[in-house]
């Protein structure tokens, strides 16, 4: 099982957001995607999900179907004023297994309960999502992903507006899930300490790849400086000449 990108370029209004991206995300790997604002991190995840059209290049899901991939977009797609509770939102992760209109069987209910316990929300099962703090809401969104039993987790800045202790708790839940399922985790992150502590692999983007591979070799001062410089250069000259 793997996700493979070969020479992928994606543009918005003729200006490349990411270009000439080659990457391989294999099973049992944890990847952080890092880079300056506007570096194309969200676009890369959207391209993997088929949510934006590629100008050129190919993206392959090898031995993967849509149901095997759980994706949490940067700006959550959930309207928090919806009259649903924590259990119901987490159970939406079952959609690929049972569809929207089937009742959730007892074993599946048990799965949702177990995941809500893992994310520390067992006392909030019947709470309306409108009443949750940002951290609690992010816990439910993670629960919804884990309920899916996916082989690939794609998370786009999942810890924005989440306090430090919740972030640490969610990171260790993700790591445990990764160990148990031997799945692939790809997470856009800003915090370099979290990247170094939790993610063995890193892809550093500045519209193109600055460096990719083992985190200790990617997250060097030299590469981070290079990423800033390349962003500035590309902002001055929007067109990719390749
Ligand atoms: P990041 O997630 O690294 O901050 P994005 O992938 O969101 O970067 O954006 C990369 C570039 O593409 C930025 O210059 C951004 O302004 C541009 N961009 C992103 N989404 C759109 C869009 N829907 N329409 C036009 N330009 C976009
Ligand atoms: Mg983004």
């Amino acid at each position: 099982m793997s996700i493979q990108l070969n020479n992928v370029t994606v543009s918005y209004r003729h200006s490349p957001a990411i270009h000439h991206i080659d990457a391989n995300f294999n099973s049992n790997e944890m990847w952080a995607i890092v880079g300056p604002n506007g570096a194309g991190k969200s676009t890369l995840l959207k391209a993997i999900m088929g949510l934006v059209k590629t100008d050129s290049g190919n993206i392959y899901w090898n031995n993967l179907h849509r149901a095997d991939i759980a994706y949490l977009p940067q700006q959550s797609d959930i309207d928090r004023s919806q009259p649903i509770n924590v259990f119901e939102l987490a159970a939406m992760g079952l959609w690929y297994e049972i569809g929207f209109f089937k009742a959730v069987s007892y074993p599946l209910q048990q799965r949702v309960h177990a995941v809500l316990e893992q994310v520390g929300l067992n006392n909030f099962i019947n709470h309306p999502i409108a009443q949750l703090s940002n951290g609690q809401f992010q816990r439910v969104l993670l629960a919804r992903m884990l309920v899916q039993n996916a082989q690939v987790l794609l998370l786009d800045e999942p810890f924005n507006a989440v306090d430090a202790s919740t972030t640490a708790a969610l990171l260790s839940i993700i790591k445990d899930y990764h160990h148990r399922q031997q799945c692939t985790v790809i997470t856009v992150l800003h915090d370099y300490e979290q990247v170094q502590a939790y993610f063995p692999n890193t892809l550093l983007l500045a519209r193109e790849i600055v460096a990719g591979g083992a985190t200790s070799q990617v997250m060097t001062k030299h590469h981070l400086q290079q990423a800033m410089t390349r962003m500035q250069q590309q902002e001055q000259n929007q067109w990719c000449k390749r």
Side-chain angles (χ1 to χ4, degrees):
M1 181 274 280
S2 68
I3 292 174
Q4 193 182 345
L5 287 84
N6 287 350
N7 202 27
V8 169
T9 295
V10 175
S11 306
Y12 299 108
R13 294 187 222 106
H14 305 296
S15 166
I18 50 173
H19 64 93
H20 305 98
I21 304 287
D22 287 310
N24 263 314
F25 304 107
N26 298 308
S27 61
N28 209 11
E29 290 178 348
M30 273 185 88
W31 283 86
I33 312 283
V34 299
N37 283 334
K41 304 179 295 293
S42 296
T43 301
L44 179 73
L45 294 201
K46 286 180 194 164
I48 290 173
M49 294 309 295
L51 298 173
V52 289
K53 216 170 117 310
T54 54
D55 295 345
S56 57
N58 293 297
I59 298 174
Y60 301 101
W61 294 359
N62 298 317
N63 296 318
L64 284 171
H65 299 103
R66 177 62 187 86
D68 301 321
I69 306 180
Y71 168 55
L72 186 62
Q74 181 167 2
Q75 249 66 48
S76 171
D77 52 347
I78 301 285
D79 172 5
R80 278 180 72 175
S81 65
Q82 279 184 93
I84 58 171
N85 66 29
V86 165
F87 180 90
E88 289 162 333
L89 178 51
M92 283 181 185
L94 299 169
W95 185 79
Y96 288 102
E97 267 174 78
I98 63 172
F100 265 126
F101 301 108
K102 286 222 190 88
V104 180
S105 67
Y106 184 70
L108 291 178
Q109 285 180 28
Q110 294 299 95
R111 194 204 293 172
V112 177
H113 280 290
V115 170
L116 285 172
E117 191 167 345
Q118 268 173 46
V119 302
L121 288 176
N122 35 331
N123 294 326
F124 293 86
I125 284 166
N126 298 314
H127 268 57
I129 58 168
Q131 289 175 12
L132 300 176
S133 68
N134 285 338
Q136 288 168 332
F137 186 61
Q138 216 56 24
R139 285 174 192 262
V140 193
L141 294 181
L142 180 61
R144 185 183 58 163
M145 295 184 91
L146 302 188
V147 160
Q148 198 180 320
N149 273 345
Q151 293 183 54
V152 179
L153 303 186
L154 294 182
L155 302 110
D156 197 345
E157 298 195 28
F159 310 123
N160 273 5
V162 174
D163 61 89
S165 67
T166 303
T167 299
L170 295 181
L171 273 166
S172 58
I173 292 164
I174 291 168
K175 198 174 167 187
D176 287 349
Y177 179 85
H178 164 75
H179 280 311
R180 257 198 330 274
Q181 305 280 88
Q182 312 222 310
C183 64
T184 310
V185 178
I186 306 172
T187 308
V188 176
L189 278 182
H190 275 300
D191 186 310
Y192 293 166
E193 279 178 25
Q194 288 165 5
V195 171
Q196 271 149 351
Y198 289 90
F199 292 82
N201 294 301
T202 299
L203 192 68
L204 173 58
L205 275 186
R207 306 224 162 147
E208 58 193 320
I209 293 177
V210 176
T215 296
S216 55
Q217 280 159 36
V218 171
M219 298 293 278
T220 61
K221 256 194 192 145
H222 172 67
H223 284 145
L224 295 170
Q225 184 58 49
Q226 226 177 359
M228 295 307 291
T229 310
R230 284 205 210 171
M231 279 302 289
Q232 283 159 5
Q233 286 167 348
Q234 294 182 80
E235 249 142 50
Q236 282 152 15
N237 174 17
Q238 294 281 309
W239 293 87
C240 168
K241 296 248 166 64
R242 265 193 259 172

